Amino acid sequence: MSRPLPKAGRYALRVASLAIALGVWQLLTSLDIDLWLRFSQFPTVTDVASAFADRLSGPDYWTDLTDSLTRILTGFLLAAVLGVATGVLIARSRLAEDLLGPVLEVVRPIPAIALVPVAILLFPSNEQGIVFITFTAAFFPVLVSTRHAVRALTPVWEEAVVTMGGGRWRILASVVLPGALPGIFGGLSVGIGVSWICVISAEMISGQYGVGYRTWQDYTVVNYAGVFVGMVTIGVLGWLTSTAVELLGRRLTRWLPRTSYAGGRPLRRARATSTAVAVSPRAKEGIPHDQLV
C-alpha cells in the first residue's frame, strides 16, 4: 500500500496536473493539430491570457462579474431558504406532501433554462427573470436532498426529545435540522453548480451585462479568445462558490466523523493523536478490564 502524500505534495500535484493540461492545450493549438478534433480553430493559451489581461484592465469585465455574482447569490440564497423549508415541511407533514408534492414533482423535471420564456412573460424586467431562473435551478436539488435527509433520520432521536418534554420546535431545532445538515449541504453543493449553468444560459438569451452575455457577444463577433476568457471566468467563479459552500458545510458539521483516503482505501480520521482512547476514571469503572487501552 502506497504512503499518502503530504499536504504540500498534494497541492503540488494539483498544480502540476493543471500545468500539464495547459501545456497540452498550448501544444495542440500552436501546432494546428487537426486529426479528428479541430484544434486549429482554438485560440492558444497565450492568446487567451493576452485577452484576459486586456479584459481585466477595462470596466466592462468587472461590471459583468458583479452582475453575474449578484444574480447567482440572490437566486441561490432564496433557493436555499425556501428549498430547505419546503423539504422539511414535505418530509414532516403528510398534508403538505399531498398538497405540494404533485405540483413540485411535475415541475421538477422541466429544465430551468426552458423556463426562460415563462420568466420573460412573467416578470417586468430581465433582471428579475434571470434571478428566477437561478432560483429555480437551485431550488429542486436543495428540496429533494433536504426531503430525503429528513426522512432518513432515525426516530430514536425524536423519541428521546419527546421523552424529555420537548415539543415540535425543539425537535426541529435539536434533531431535524442538525441531523439533516449533511444532506442539505449536499443539495446546496449541487444547486450552486446548476445555478451557474442556468444563469449563464439565461444571460446569453435575455441578459444585459453579465459573464454569459459577454461570452455570447464575443462568439457573435468571432472573438474566440474572448469566449475562452468567459469560460475560464465561469469555471473559476463556479469553483470558488462551490468551495465556499463546501467549507461552510464542513464548518457546520464538525461533529461528524471524517474519512480520509490513503492508497485508495478509506481510513477513519480520529480526533485523538494516538491510538489510545482517552477514557475518564469514572467511565473506566463501567468498562471491562480487557477492553481498556
Side-chain angles (χ1 to χ4, degrees), residues 223-246:
N223 180 13
Y224 294 131
V227 172
F228 276 84
V229 169
M231 292 171 61
V232 172
T233 302
I234 295 166
V236 172
L237 290 175
W239 171 66
L240 290 176
T241 50
S242 298
T243 301
V245 172
E246 183 178 353

Side-chain angles (χ1 to χ4, degrees), residues 2 12 37 51 109-110 113 120 144 178 212 221 224 226 228 246 253 283:
S2 59
L37 300 175
I110 302 175
I113 196 61
I120 294 174
V144 173
V221 298
Y224 294 131
F228 276 84
E246 183 178 353
T253 58

Side-chain angles (χ1 to χ4, degrees), residues 71-76 78-79 107 110-123 125-141 191-207:
R71 293 161 179 167
I72 275 286
L73 293 178
T74 304
F76 178 72
L78 286 173
V107 177
I110 302 175
I113 196 61
L115 298 176
V116 169
V118 176
I120 294 174
L121 296 174
L122 188 62
F123 294 94
S125 69
N126 288 339
E127 190 71 22
Q128 296 172 350
I130 294 174
V131 172
F132 169 74
I133 296 298
T134 307
F135 161 78
T136 306
F139 174 77
F140 287 104
I192 191 66
V194 179
S195 293
W196 272 112
I197 296 173
C198 292
V199 74
I200 296 301
S201 302
E203 288 177 347
M204 288 181 175
I205 296 173
S206 62

Side-chain angles (χ1 to χ4, degrees), residues 68-272:
S68 292
L69 282 173
T70 302
R71 293 161 179 167
I72 275 286
L73 293 178
T74 304
F76 178 72
L77 290 177
L78 286 173
V81 174
L82 295 180
V84 171
T86 308
V88 171
L89 183 62
I90 290 177
R92 301 282 298 175
S93 171
R94 291 183 179 179
L95 178 61
E97 182 180 9
D98 293 337
L99 289 176
L100 301 178
V103 177
L104 294 174
E105 288 302 318
V106 170
V107 177
R108 183 165 67 94
I110 302 175
I113 196 61
L115 298 176
V116 169
V118 176
I120 294 174
L121 296 174
L122 188 62
F123 294 94
S125 69
N126 288 339
E127 190 71 22
Q128 296 172 350
I130 294 174
V131 172
F132 169 74
I133 296 298
T134 307
F135 161 78
T136 306
F139 174 77
F140 287 104
V142 177
L143 166 67
V144 173
S145 296
T146 302
R147 183 183 64 190
H148 287 304
V150 173
R151 286 177 176 174
L153 295 176
T154 175
V156 175
W157 299 343
E158 181 175 343
E159 293 170 0
V161 176
V162 172
T163 302
M164 293 184 291
R168 291 184 177 180
W169 292 106
R170 181 65 176 176
I171 293 172
L172 181 66
S174 60
V175 174
V176 176
L177 291 179
L181 271 182
I184 291 173
F185 273 96
L188 291 174
S189 297
V190 175
I192 191 66
V194 179
S195 293
W196 272 112
I197 296 173
C198 292
V199 74
I200 296 301
S201 302
E203 288 177 347
M204 288 181 175
I205 296 173
S206 62
Q208 293 179 347
Y209 296 103
V211 179
Y213 171 81
R214 192 68 55 189
T215 302
W216 182 253
Q217 292 300 310
D218 287 331
Y219 173 75
T220 57
V221 298
V222 200
N223 180 13
Y224 294 131
V227 172
F228 276 84
V229 169
M231 292 171 61
V232 172
T233 302
I234 295 166
V236 172
L237 290 175
W239 171 66
L240 290 176
T241 50
S242 298
T243 301
V245 172
E246 183 178 353
L247 291 177
L248 179 61
R250 289 185 179 182
R251 182 75 175 177
L252 295 178
T253 58
R254 288 178 297 177
W255 45 273
L256 284 174
R258 302 298 179 187
T259 301
S260 61
Y261 288 84
R265 301 177 64 181
L267 299 176
R268 304 302 293 181
R269 184 181 301 171
R271 291 181 178 271

